[in-house]
Coordinates of all heavy atoms in Angstrom, one line a residue:
M283 N -7.8 -11.9 -28.1 CA -7.0 -11.3 -27.1 C -7.9 -10.7 -26.0 O -9.0 -10.1 -26.2 CB -6.2 -10.1 -27.7 CG -5.1 -10.5 -28.6 SD -3.8 -11.4 -27.8 CE -2.9 -10.0 -27.0
A284 N -7.4 -11.0 -24.8 CA -8.1 -10.5 -23.6 C -8.0 -9.0 -23.5 O -7.0 -8.4 -24.1 CB -7.6 -11.2 -22.3
Q285 N -9.0 -8.4 -22.9 CA -8.9 -6.9 -22.8 C -7.6 -6.5 -21.9 O -7.4 -7.2 -20.9 CB -10.2 -6.4 -22.0 CG -11.3 -6.2 -22.9 CD -11.1 -5.0 -23.9 OE1 -10.7 -5.2 -25.0 NE2 -11.4 -3.8 -23.4
P286 N -6.9 -5.6 -22.4 CA -5.8 -5.2 -21.5 C -6.2 -4.5 -20.2 O -7.3 -3.9 -20.1 CB -5.0 -4.2 -22.4 CG -6.0 -3.6 -23.4 CD -7.0 -4.7 -23.5
I287 N -5.4 -4.7 -19.2 CA -5.6 -4.1 -17.9 C -4.5 -3.1 -17.7 O -3.4 -3.2 -18.4 CB -5.7 -5.1 -16.7 CG1 -4.4 -6.0 -16.8 CG2 -6.9 -6.0 -16.9 CD1 -4.2 -6.9 -15.5
L288 N -4.6 -2.2 -16.8 CA -3.5 -1.4 -16.4 C -3.5 -1.4 -14.9 O -4.3 -0.6 -14.3 CB -3.6 0.0 -17.0 CG -2.4 1.0 -16.8 CD1 -1.1 0.4 -17.4 CD2 -2.7 2.4 -17.3
V289 N -2.5 -2.1 -14.3 CA -2.5 -2.3 -12.9 C -1.1 -2.1 -12.4 O -0.1 -2.7 -13.0 CB -3.0 -3.7 -12.5 CG1 -2.8 -4.0 -11.0 CG2 -4.5 -3.9 -12.9
N290 N -1.0 -1.4 -11.3 CA 0.4 -1.3 -10.6 C 0.3 -2.4 -9.5 O -0.5 -2.2 -8.5 CB 0.5 0.1 -9.9 CG 1.7 0.3 -9.1 OD1 2.6 -0.6 -9.0 ND2 1.8 1.4 -8.5
V291 N 1.1 -3.4 -9.7 CA 1.0 -4.6 -8.8 C 1.5 -4.1 -7.4 O 0.9 -4.6 -6.4 CB 1.9 -5.7 -9.3 CG1 1.8 -6.9 -8.4 CG2 1.4 -6.1 -10.7
T292 N 2.4 -3.2 -7.3 CA 2.8 -2.7 -6.0 C 1.6 -2.1 -5.3 O 1.4 -2.4 -4.0 CB 3.9 -1.6 -6.2 OG1 4.9 -2.0 -7.1 CG2 4.5 -1.2 -4.8
E293 N 0.8 -1.4 -5.9 CA -0.4 -0.8 -5.4 C -1.3 -1.8 -4.8 O -1.8 -1.7 -3.7 CB -1.1 0.1 -6.3 CG -2.4 0.8 -5.8 CD -3.2 1.6 -6.8 OE1 -2.6 2.1 -7.8 OE2 -4.4 1.7 -6.6
E294 N -1.6 -2.9 -5.6 CA -2.5 -4.0 -5.1 C -1.9 -4.6 -3.8 O -2.7 -4.8 -2.9 CB -2.4 -5.1 -6.1 CG -3.4 -5.1 -7.2 CD -3.4 -6.4 -8.0 OE1 -3.5 -7.5 -7.4 OE2 -3.3 -6.3 -9.2
I295 N -0.7 -4.8 -3.7 CA -0.1 -5.4 -2.5 C -0.1 -4.4 -1.3 O -0.5 -4.8 -0.3 CB 1.4 -5.8 -2.8 CG1 1.4 -7.0 -3.8 CG2 2.1 -6.2 -1.5 CD1 2.8 -7.4 -4.3
V296 N 0.2 -3.1 -1.6 CA 0.2 -2.1 -0.5 C -1.2 -1.9 0.0 O -1.4 -1.9 1.2 CB 0.8 -0.8 -1.0 CG1 0.5 0.4 0.0 CG2 2.3 -1.0 -1.3
R297 N -2.2 -1.9 -0.8 CA -3.6 -1.7 -0.4 C -4.0 -2.9 0.5 O -4.6 -2.6 1.6 CB -4.6 -1.7 -1.6 CG -4.7 -0.3 -2.3 CD -5.6 -0.5 -3.5 NE -5.7 0.7 -4.3 CZ -6.6 1.7 -4.1 NH1 -7.5 1.6 -3.1 NH2 -6.6 2.7 -4.9
G298 N -3.7 -4.1 0.1 CA -4.0 -5.3 1.0 C -3.3 -5.2 2.3 O -3.9 -5.5 3.3
L299 N -2.0 -4.9 2.3 CA -1.3 -4.9 3.5 C -1.7 -3.7 4.5 O -1.7 -3.9 5.7 CB 0.2 -4.7 3.2 CG 0.9 -6.1 2.8 CD1 2.3 -5.8 2.3 CD2 0.9 -7.1 3.7
V300 N -2.0 -2.6 3.9 CA -2.5 -1.4 4.7 C -3.8 -1.8 5.4 O -3.8 -1.7 6.7 CB -2.7 -0.1 3.9 CG1 -3.5 0.9 4.7 CG2 -1.4 0.4 3.5
N301 N -4.7 -2.5 4.7 CA -5.9 -2.9 5.4 C -5.7 -4.0 6.5 O -6.2 -3.9 7.6 CB -6.9 -3.5 4.4 CG -7.6 -2.4 3.6 OD1 -7.9 -1.3 4.1 ND2 -7.9 -2.7 2.4
F302 N -4.7 -4.9 6.1 CA -4.5 -6.0 7.0 C -3.8 -5.4 8.3 O -4.2 -5.7 9.4 CB -3.5 -6.9 6.4 CG -3.0 -8.1 7.2 CD1 -3.8 -9.1 7.5 CD2 -1.7 -8.0 7.8 CE1 -3.3 -10.1 8.3 CE2 -1.2 -9.1 8.6 CZ -2.1 -10.1 8.9
L303 N -2.8 -4.5 8.1 CA -2.1 -3.9 9.3 C -3.0 -3.0 10.2 O -3.0 -3.2 11.4 CB -0.9 -3.1 8.8 CG 0.3 -3.9 8.3 CD1 1.4 -2.9 7.7 CD2 1.0 -4.7 9.5
L304 N -3.9 -2.2 9.6 CA -4.7 -1.3 10.3 C -5.8 -2.2 11.1 O -6.3 -1.7 12.1 CB -5.4 -0.3 9.4 CG -4.5 0.8 9.0 CD1 -5.3 1.7 8.1 CD2 -3.8 1.6 10.1
R305 N -6.1 -3.3 10.6 CA -7.1 -4.1 11.3 C -6.5 -5.0 12.4 O -7.2 -5.6 13.2 CB -7.9 -4.9 10.3 CG -8.8 -4.1 9.5 CD -9.9 -4.9 8.8 NE -10.8 -3.9 8.1 CZ -10.7 -3.7 6.8 NH1 -9.8 -4.3 6.1 NH2 -11.5 -2.8 6.3
G306 N -5.2 -5.1 12.4 CA -4.5 -6.0 13.3 C -4.4 -5.4 14.7 O -4.6 -4.2 14.9
T307 N -3.9 -6.1 15.7 CA -3.9 -5.6 17.0 C -2.7 -4.6 17.3 O -2.9 -3.7 18.0 CB -3.6 -6.8 18.0 OG1 -2.5 -7.5 17.5 CG2 -4.8 -7.7 18.1
E308 N -1.7 -4.7 16.4 CA -0.5 -3.8 16.6 C -0.9 -2.4 16.4 O -0.3 -1.5 17.0 CB 0.6 -4.3 15.7 CG 2.0 -3.9 16.2 CD 3.0 -4.5 15.4 OE1 2.8 -5.5 14.7 OE2 4.2 -3.9 15.4
Y309 N -1.8 -2.1 15.5 CA -2.1 -0.7 15.1 C -3.5 -0.3 15.5 O -4.2 0.5 14.9 CB -1.8 -0.5 13.6 CG -0.4 -0.7 13.3 CD1 0.1 -1.8 12.8 CD2 0.5 0.4 13.6 CE1 1.4 -2.0 12.6 CE2 1.8 0.2 13.4 CZ 2.3 -1.0 12.9 OH 3.7 -1.2 12.7
Q310 N -4.1 -1.0 16.5 CA -5.6 -0.8 16.8 C -5.8 0.6 17.4 O -6.9 1.1 17.3 CB -6.1 -1.9 17.7 CG -5.4 -2.0 19.0 CD -5.9 -3.3 19.8 OE1 -6.8 -3.9 19.3 NE2 -5.2 -3.6 20.9
T311 N -4.8 1.2 17.9 CA -4.9 2.6 18.5 C -4.8 3.7 17.4 O -5.0 4.8 17.6 CB -3.9 2.9 19.5 OG1 -2.5 2.7 19.0 CG2 -3.9 1.9 20.7
F312 N -4.4 3.3 16.1 CA -4.3 4.2 15.1 C -5.6 4.4 14.4 O -6.4 3.4 14.3 CB -3.2 3.7 14.1 CG -1.8 3.9 14.5 CD1 -1.3 3.0 15.5 CD2 -1.0 4.9 14.1 CE1 0.0 3.1 16.0 CE2 0.3 5.0 14.6 CZ 0.8 4.1 15.6
C313 N -5.9 5.6 13.8 CA -7.1 5.8 13.1 C -7.2 4.9 11.9 O -6.3 4.7 11.1 CB -7.2 7.3 12.7 SG -8.8 7.6 11.8
Q314 N -8.4 4.4 11.6 CA -8.6 3.5 10.5 C -9.6 4.0 9.5 O -10.1 3.3 8.7 CB -9.1 2.1 11.0 CG -7.9 1.4 11.8 CD -8.4 0.3 12.5 OE1 -9.3 -0.5 12.1 NE2 -7.9 0.0 13.7
C315 N -9.9 5.4 9.6 CA -10.9 5.9 8.6 C -10.3 5.9 7.2 O -9.1 5.7 7.0 CB -11.2 7.3 9.0 SG -10.1 8.6 8.6
N316 N -11.2 6.1 6.2 CA -10.8 6.0 4.8 C -9.7 7.0 4.4 O -8.8 6.7 3.7 CB -12.0 6.2 4.0 CG -12.3 5.1 3.1 OD1 -11.5 4.1 3.0 ND2 -13.5 5.0 2.5
I317 N -9.9 8.2 5.0 CA -8.9 9.3 4.7 C -7.5 8.9 5.1 O -6.5 9.0 4.4 CB -9.3 10.6 5.3 CG1 -10.7 11.0 4.7 CG2 -8.2 11.7 5.2 CD1 -11.3 12.3 5.5
C318 N -7.4 8.4 6.4 CA -6.1 8.1 6.9 C -5.6 6.8 6.1 O -4.4 6.8 5.8 CB -6.1 7.8 8.4 SG -6.4 9.3 9.3
A319 N -6.4 5.8 5.8 CA -5.9 4.6 5.1 C -5.4 5.0 3.7 O -4.3 4.5 3.3 CB -7.1 3.6 5.1
M320 N -6.1 5.9 3.0 CA -5.7 6.3 1.7 C -4.4 7.1 1.8 O -3.5 7.0 0.9 CB -6.8 7.2 1.1 CG -8.0 6.4 0.7 SD -7.7 5.5 -0.9 CE -9.3 5.3 -1.4
D321 N -4.2 8.0 2.7 CA -3.0 8.8 2.9 C -1.9 7.9 3.1 O -0.8 8.0 2.6 CB -3.2 9.8 4.1 CG -4.1 11.0 3.6 OD1 -4.4 11.1 2.5 OD2 -4.4 11.8 4.5
I322 N -2.1 6.9 4.0 CA -0.9 5.9 4.4 C -0.6 5.2 3.1 O 0.6 5.0 2.7 CB -1.5 4.9 5.4 CG1 -1.6 5.6 6.8 CG2 -0.5 3.7 5.5 CD1 -2.5 4.8 7.7
T323 N -1.5 4.7 2.3 CA -1.3 4.0 1.0 C -0.6 4.9 0.1 O 0.5 4.5 -0.5 CB -2.7 3.6 0.4 OG1 -3.4 2.8 1.3 CG2 -2.4 2.7 -0.9
A324 N -0.9 6.2 -0.1 CA -0.3 7.1 -1.1 C 1.2 7.4 -0.5 O 2.1 7.3 -1.4 CB -1.1 8.4 -1.1
I325 N 1.4 7.6 0.7 CA 2.7 7.9 1.1 C 3.7 6.6 1.0 O 4.8 6.8 0.5 CB 2.7 8.4 2.7 CG1 2.0 9.7 2.7 CG2 4.1 8.4 3.2 CD1 1.6 10.2 4.1
A326 N 3.1 5.5 1.3 CA 3.9 4.2 1.2 C 4.3 4.0 -0.3 O 5.4 3.7 -0.7 CB 3.2 3.1 1.7
L327 N 3.2 4.2 -1.2 CA 3.4 4.0 -2.6 C 4.5 5.0 -3.3 O 5.2 4.6 -4.2 CB 2.0 4.0 -3.4 CG 1.3 2.8 -3.3 CD1 -0.1 3.0 -3.9 CD2 1.9 1.6 -4.0
N328 N 4.5 6.1 -2.8 CA 5.4 7.1 -3.3 C 6.8 6.7 -3.0 O 7.8 7.3 -3.6 CB 5.1 8.5 -2.8 CG 4.0 9.2 -3.6 OD1 3.7 8.8 -4.7 ND2 3.3 10.1 -2.9
A329 N 7.0 5.9 -2.0 CA 8.4 5.5 -1.6 C 8.8 4.2 -2.2 O 9.9 3.7 -2.0 CB 8.4 5.4 -0.1
L330 N 7.9 3.5 -3.0 CA 8.2 2.2 -3.6 C 8.1 2.3 -5.0 O 7.4 3.1 -5.6 CB 7.2 1.2 -3.0 CG 7.1 0.9 -1.5 CD1 5.9 0.3 -1.1 CD2 8.3 0.0 -1.2
P331 N 8.9 1.4 -5.7 CA 8.9 1.4 -7.2 C 7.5 0.9 -7.7 O 7.0 0.0 -7.1 CB 10.0 0.4 -7.6 CG 10.3 -0.3 -6.3 CD 9.8 0.4 -5.1
T332 N 7.0 1.6 -8.7 CA 5.8 1.1 -9.4 C 6.1 -0.1 -10.2 O 7.2 -0.2 -10.8 CB 5.2 2.3 -10.2 OG1 6.2 2.6 -11.2 CG2 4.8 3.4 -9.4
R333 N 5.1 -1.0 -10.4 CA 5.3 -2.2 -11.2 C 4.0 -2.3 -12.0 O 3.1 -3.1 -11.6 CB 5.5 -3.4 -10.4 CG 6.9 -3.4 -9.6 CD 8.1 -3.3 -10.6 NE 8.1 -4.4 -11.6 CZ 8.7 -5.5 -11.4 NH1 9.3 -5.8 -10.3 NH2 8.7 -6.4 -12.3
Y334 N 3.9 -1.5 -13.1 CA 2.6 -1.6 -14.0 C 2.8 -2.8 -14.8 O 3.8 -3.1 -15.4 CB 2.5 -0.3 -14.8 CG 1.8 0.8 -13.9 CD1 2.6 1.8 -13.4 CD2 0.5 0.8 -13.8 CE1 2.0 2.7 -12.6 CE2 -0.2 1.8 -13.0 CZ 0.7 2.8 -12.4 OH 0.1 3.8 -11.7
V335 N 1.5 -3.4 -15.1 CA 1.4 -4.5 -16.0 C 0.2 -4.3 -16.8 O -0.8 -3.6 -16.4 CB 1.4 -5.9 -15.3 CG1 2.7 -6.1 -14.5 CG2 0.2 -5.9 -14.3
T336 N 0.0 -5.1 -18.0 CA -1.1 -4.9 -18.8 C -1.9 -6.2 -19.1 O -2.8 -6.2 -19.8 CB -0.8 -4.2 -20.1 OG1 0.3 -5.0 -20.7 CG2 -0.3 -2.8 -19.9
T337 N -1.4 -7.4 -18.5 CA -2.1 -8.6 -18.7 C -2.1 -9.3 -17.4 O -1.3 -9.1 -16.5 CB -1.4 -9.5 -19.7 OG1 -0.1 -10.0 -19.1 CG2 -1.1 -8.9 -21.1
S338 N -3.1 -10.2 -17.2 CA -3.2 -10.9 -15.9 C -2.1 -11.9 -15.7 O -1.6 -12.1 -14.6 CB -4.6 -11.6 -15.7 OG -4.7 -12.5 -16.9
H339 N -1.5 -12.4 -16.8 CA -0.4 -13.3 -16.8 C 0.8 -12.6 -16.2 O 1.5 -13.1 -15.3 CB -0.1 -13.9 -18.1 CG 1.1 -14.8 -18.1 ND1 1.1 -16.1 -17.6 CD2 2.3 -14.6 -18.6 CE1 2.3 -16.6 -17.7 NE2 3.0 -15.7 -18.3
W340 N 1.1 -11.4 -16.8 CA 2.2 -10.6 -16.4 C 2.0 -10.2 -14.9 O 2.9 -10.2 -14.2 CB 2.2 -9.4 -17.3 CG 3.4 -8.5 -17.2 CD1 4.6 -8.7 -16.4 CD2 3.6 -7.3 -17.9 NE1 5.4 -7.6 -16.6 CE2 4.9 -6.8 -17.5 CE3 2.8 -6.5 -18.8 CZ2 5.4 -5.6 -18.0 CZ3 3.3 -5.4 -19.3 CH2 4.6 -4.9 -18.9
R341 N 0.7 -9.8 -14.5 CA 0.4 -9.4 -13.2 C 0.7 -10.6 -12.2 O 1.4 -10.3 -11.2 CB -1.1 -9.1 -13.1 CG -1.5 -8.7 -11.7 CD -2.6 -9.6 -11.2 NE -2.9 -9.4 -9.8 CZ -2.7 -10.3 -8.9 NH1 -2.4 -11.6 -9.3 NH2 -3.0 -10.0 -7.6
D342 N 0.4 -11.8 -12.6 CA 0.7 -12.9 -11.7 C 2.2 -13.2 -11.5 O 2.7 -13.5 -10.4 CB 0.1 -14.2 -12.2 CG -1.4 -14.2 -12.1 OD1 -2.0 -13.2 -11.4 OD2 -2.1 -15.0 -12.8
R343 N 2.9 -13.0 -12.6 CA 4.4 -13.1 -12.6 C 5.0 -12.1 -11.7 O 5.9 -12.4 -10.8 CB 5.0 -13.0 -14.0 CG 5.5 -14.3 -14.4 CD 6.3 -14.3 -15.8 NE 6.7 -13.0 -16.1 CZ 6.7 -12.4 -17.4 NH1 6.1 -13.1 -18.3 NH2 7.1 -11.2 -17.6
V344 N 4.6 -10.8 -11.8 CA 5.2 -9.7 -11.0 C 4.8 -9.9 -9.5 O 5.6 -9.7 -8.6 CB 4.8 -8.3 -11.6 CG1 5.2 -7.2 -10.6 CG2 5.4 -8.1 -12.9
F345 N 3.5 -10.3 -9.3 CA 3.0 -10.6 -8.0 C 3.9 -11.6 -7.2 O 4.4 -11.4 -6.1 CB 1.6 -11.0 -7.9 CG 1.0 -11.1 -6.6 CD1 0.3 -10.0 -6.0 CD2 1.2 -12.3 -5.8 CE1 -0.2 -10.1 -4.8 CE2 0.6 -12.4 -4.5 CZ 0.0 -11.3 -4.0
Q346 N 4.3 -12.7 -8.0 CA 5.1 -13.7 -7.4 C 6.6 -13.2 -7.1 O 7.1 -13.5 -6.1 CB 5.2 -14.9 -8.2 CG 4.0 -15.8 -7.9 CD 3.8 -17.0 -8.9 OE1 4.8 -17.2 -9.6 NE2 2.7 -17.6 -8.8
E347 N 7.0 -12.4 -8.0 CA 8.3 -11.7 -7.9 C 8.4 -10.9 -6.6 O 9.4 -10.9 -6.0 CB 8.6 -11.0 -9.2 CG 10.0 -10.5 -9.4 CD 10.0 -9.6 -10.6 OE1 9.5 -10.0 -11.7 OE2 10.5 -8.5 -10.4
L348 N 7.3 -10.1 -6.4 CA 7.3 -9.2 -5.3 C 7.0 -9.9 -3.9 O 7.3 -9.4 -2.9 CB 6.2 -8.1 -5.5 CG 6.5 -7.1 -6.6 CD1 5.3 -6.1 -6.8 CD2 7.8 -6.4 -6.4
N349 N 6.3 -11.1 -4.0 CA 5.8 -11.8 -2.9 C 7.0 -12.6 -2.2 O 6.8 -13.8 -2.0 CB 4.7 -12.6 -3.3 CG 3.9 -13.1 -2.0 OD1 4.0 -12.5 -1.0 ND2 3.1 -14.1 -2.2
T350 N 8.1 -12.0 -2.0 CA 9.3 -12.7 -1.3 C 9.5 -12.0 0.1 O 9.1 -10.9 0.2 CB 10.6 -12.6 -2.1 OG1 11.0 -11.1 -2.1 CG2 10.4 -13.0 -3.5
P351 N 10.0 -12.7 1.1 CA 10.3 -12.1 2.4 C 11.0 -10.8 2.3 O 10.6 -9.8 3.0 CB 11.1 -13.2 3.1 CG 10.8 -14.4 2.4 CD 10.5 -14.1 1.0
E352 N 12.0 -10.6 1.4 CA 12.8 -9.4 1.4 C 11.9 -8.3 0.9 O 11.9 -7.2 1.4 CB 14.0 -9.5 0.5 CG 15.0 -10.7 0.8 CD 14.5 -12.0 0.2 OE1 14.4 -12.1 -1.0 OE2 14.1 -12.9 1.0
N353 N 11.2 -8.5 -0.2 CA 10.4 -7.4 -0.8 C 9.2 -7.1 0.2 O 9.0 -5.9 0.4 CB 9.8 -7.9 -2.1 CG 10.7 -7.8 -3.3 OD1 11.6 -6.9 -3.3 ND2 10.7 -8.8 -4.1
L354 N 8.7 -8.0 0.8 CA 7.6 -7.7 1.7 C 8.0 -7.0 2.9 O 7.4 -6.1 3.5 CB 6.8 -9.0 2.1 CG 6.0 -9.7 1.0 CD1 5.4 -11.0 1.5 CD2 4.9 -8.8 0.5
E355 N 9.3 -7.3 3.3 CA 9.8 -6.5 4.5 C 10.0 -5.0 4.1 O 9.7 -4.2 4.9 CB 11.2 -7.1 4.8 CG 11.8 -6.7 6.2 CD 13.2 -7.1 6.4 OE1 13.4 -8.3 6.2 OE2 14.0 -6.3 6.8
E356 N 10.5 -4.8 2.9 CA 10.7 -3.4 2.4 C 9.3 -2.7 2.3 O 9.1 -1.6 2.7 CB 11.4 -3.4 1.1 CG 11.6 -2.0 0.4 CD 12.3 -0.9 1.3 OE1 13.0 -1.4 2.3 OE2 12.1 0.3 1.1
I357 N 8.3 -3.4 1.8 CA 6.9 -2.8 1.6 C 6.4 -2.5 3.0 O 5.9 -1.5 3.2 CB 6.1 -3.8 0.8 CG1 6.6 -3.8 -0.7 CG2 4.6 -3.3 0.8 CD1 6.0 -4.9 -1.6
N358 N 6.5 -3.5 3.9 CA 6.0 -3.3 5.3 C 6.7 -2.1 5.9 O 6.0 -1.4 6.7 CB 6.2 -4.6 6.1 CG 5.0 -5.5 6.1 OD1 3.8 -5.0 6.2 ND2 5.2 -6.7 5.7
K359 N 7.9 -2.0 5.7 CA 8.7 -0.9 6.3 C 8.1 0.4 5.9 O 7.9 1.4 6.7 CB 10.2 -1.0 5.9 CG 11.2 -0.4 6.9 CD 12.6 -0.7 6.5 CE 13.1 0.4 5.6 NZ 14.4 0.1 5.0
Q360 N 7.9 0.6 4.6 CA 7.4 1.8 4.1 C 6.0 2.1 4.5 O 5.6 3.2 4.8 CB 7.5 1.8 2.5 CG 8.8 1.8 1.9 CD 9.7 3.0 2.5 OE1 9.2 4.0 2.8 NE2 11.0 2.8 2.5
I361 N 5.1 1.0 4.7 CA 3.8 1.3 5.2 C 3.8 1.7 6.7 O 3.1 2.6 7.0 CB 2.9 -0.1 5.1 CG1 2.7 -0.3 3.5 CG2 1.6 0.1 5.8 CD1 2.1 -1.7 3.3
I362 N 4.7 1.1 7.5 CA 4.8 1.4 8.9 C 5.2 2.9 9.1 O 4.7 3.6 9.8 CB 5.6 0.4 9.6 CG1 4.9 -0.9 9.7 CG2 6.0 0.9 11.1 CD1 5.8 -2.1 10.0
R363 N 6.2 3.3 8.2 CA 6.7 4.6 8.2 C 5.5 5.5 7.9 O 5.3 6.6 8.5 CB 7.8 4.8 7.1 CG 8.4 6.1 7.0 CD 9.5 6.1 5.9 NE 9.5 7.4 5.2 CZ 8.8 7.6 4.1 NH1 8.1 6.8 3.6 NH2 8.9 8.8 3.6
A364 N 4.7 5.1 6.9 CA 3.6 6.0 6.5 C 2.4 6.1 7.6 O 1.9 7.1 7.8 CB 3.0 5.5 5.2
I365 N 2.3 5.0 8.3 CA 1.3 5.0 9.4 C 1.7 6.0 10.4 O 0.9 6.8 10.9 CB 1.2 3.5 10.0 CG1 0.5 2.6 9.1 CG2 0.5 3.6 11.3 CD1 0.4 1.1 9.5
H366 N 3.0 6.1 10.7 CA 3.4 7.0 11.8 C 3.4 8.4 11.3 O 3.0 9.4 12.0 CB 4.8 6.6 12.3 CG 4.8 5.5 13.1 ND1 5.0 4.2 12.7 CD2 4.4 5.3 14.5 CE1 4.9 3.3 13.7 NE2 4.5 3.9 14.8
I367 N 3.6 8.7 10.0 CA 3.6 10.0 9.4 C 2.1 10.6 9.5 O 1.9 11.6 10.0 CB 4.1 10.1 8.0 CG1 5.6 9.9 7.9 CG2 3.7 11.4 7.2 CD1 6.1 9.7 6.5
V368 N 1.2 9.7 9.1 CA -0.2 10.2 9.1 C -0.7 10.3 10.5 O -1.5 11.2 10.8 CB -1.1 9.1 8.3 CG1 -2.6 9.3 8.4 CG2 -0.7 9.1 6.8
A369 N -0.3 9.4 11.4 CA -0.8 9.5 12.8 C -0.3 10.8 13.5 O -1.1 11.4 14.3 CB -0.2 8.3 13.6
R370 N 0.8 11.4 13.0 CA 1.3 12.6 13.6 C 0.5 13.8 13.1 O 0.4 14.9 13.8 CB 2.8 12.8 13.2 CG 3.7 12.0 14.1 CD 5.2 12.6 14.1 NE 5.7 12.6 12.7 CZ 6.4 11.5 12.3 NH1 6.5 10.4 13.0 NH2 6.9 11.5 11.0
N371 N 0.0 13.7 11.9 CA -0.7 14.8 11.3 C -1.9 14.4 10.4 O -1.9 14.5 9.2 CB 0.3 15.6 10.4 CG -0.2 16.9 9.9 OD1 -1.3 17.4 10.5 ND2 0.4 17.6 9.0
P372 N -2.9 13.8 11.0 CA -4.0 13.3 10.2 C -4.9 14.4 9.6 O -5.0 15.4 10.2 CB -4.9 12.5 11.2 CG -4.5 13.1 12.6 CD -3.1 13.6 12.5
R373 N -5.4 14.1 8.4 CA -6.2 15.1 7.7 C -7.7 14.9 8.0 O -8.5 15.8 7.7 CB -6.1 14.9 6.2 CG -4.7 15.4 5.7 CD -4.8 15.5 4.2 NE -5.2 14.2 3.5 CZ -6.3 14.2 2.8 NH1 -7.0 15.2 2.6 NH2 -6.6 13.0 2.2
H374 N -8.2 13.8 8.6 CA -9.5 13.6 8.8 C -10.3 14.6 9.6 O -11.6 14.6 9.4 CB -9.8 12.1 9.4 CG -9.0 12.0 10.7 ND1 -8.5 10.8 11.1 CD2 -8.6 12.9 11.7 CE1 -7.9 10.9 12.3 NE2 -8.0 12.2 12.7
D375 N -9.7 15.4 10.4 CA -10.5 16.4 11.2 C -10.2 17.8 10.8 O -10.6 18.8 11.4 CB -10.2 16.2 12.7 CG -8.7 16.2 13.0 OD1 -7.9 16.3 12.1 OD2 -8.3 16.0 14.2
K376 N -9.6 18.0 9.6 CA -9.4 19.3 9.1 C -10.5 19.6 8.1 O -11.0 18.8 7.3 CB -8.1 19.4 8.3 CG -6.8 19.2 9.2 CD -5.6 19.4 8.5 CE -4.4 19.2 9.5 NZ -3.1 18.9 8.8
R377 N -11.0 20.9 8.2 CA -12.2 21.3 7.5 C -11.8 21.7 6.0 O -12.6 21.4 5.1 CB -12.8 22.5 8.1 CG -13.7 22.1 9.2 CD -13.8 23.3 10.2 NE -14.3 22.8 11.5 CZ -15.5 22.6 11.9 NH1 -16.5 22.8 11.1 NH2 -15.8 22.1 13.1
V378 N -10.7 22.4 5.9 CA -10.3 22.8 4.6 C -9.2 21.9 4.0 O -8.3 21.7 4.7 CB -9.8 24.3 4.6 CG1 -9.7 24.9 3.3 CG2 -10.7 25.1 5.5
E379 N -9.2 21.6 2.7 CA -8.2 21.0 2.0 C -8.7 20.3 0.8 O -9.8 19.8 0.8 CB -7.4 19.9 2.8 CG -5.9 20.5 3.0 CD -5.2 19.7 4.1 OE1 -5.7 19.6 5.3 OE2 -4.1 19.1 3.8
Ligands
ZN617 ZN1 -8.5 9.1 10.2

């Protein structure tokens, strides 16, 4: 038996899309530091259903299930919402927290 994994497939997809969106031209005026990128990822993930899996086969199946235009639209919507929340109140220049 292969070693079990514990992966939230939603998280994998959101991490990839956050990096992709922040590096794109549309969001080039937004901060791309690690703190902001992580906060965006966390806020978006809290608004999306988790999809934990424990095998790579199961992971691939769920990935394909999530990788549809409708699902990606919802995931993108939550990420864009999170980008604007973080842009309004970024933590990167706060000393305490
Ligand atoms: Zn920042």
Side-chain angles (χ1 to χ4, degrees):
M283 286 295 279
Q285 278 291 97
I287 54 169
L288 185 61
V289 173
N290 176 5
V291 183
T292 312
E293 180 183 333
E294 270 188 50
I295 293 174
V296 168
R297 280 179 185 268
L299 285 174
V300 166
N301 282 330
F302 177 77
L303 285 174
L304 285 181
R305 291 202 174 96
T307 51
E308 205 173 338
Y309 296 99
Q310 59 189 351
T311 58
F312 289 75
C313 179
Q314 294 167 34
C315 81
N316 239 348
I317 294 171
C318 289
M320 288 283 200
D321 285 352
I322 290 164
T323 306
I325 291 167
L327 279 171
N328 281 336
L330 293 162
T332 55
R333 293 301 301 271
Y334 278 99
V335 297
T336 55
T337 68
S338 57
H339 175 73
W340 188 7
R341 180 238 167 236
D342 292 347
R343 247 186 22 222
V344 171
F345 186 91
Q346 272 171 17
E347 196 188 304
L348 291 178
N349 197 20
T350 65
E352 307 82 64
N353 281 323
L354 291 178
E355 193 187 314
E356 174 61 16
I357 292 170
N358 268 310
K359 203 175 93 187
Q360 294 304 336
I361 293 172
I362 290 160
R363 183 182 143 266
I365 287 174
H366 286 98
I367 290 171
V368 170
R370 278 199 300 275
N371 191 16
R373 286 193 308 119
H374 53 211
D375 49 4
K376 291 186 183 158
R377 277 155 204 274
V378 194
E379 246 170 303

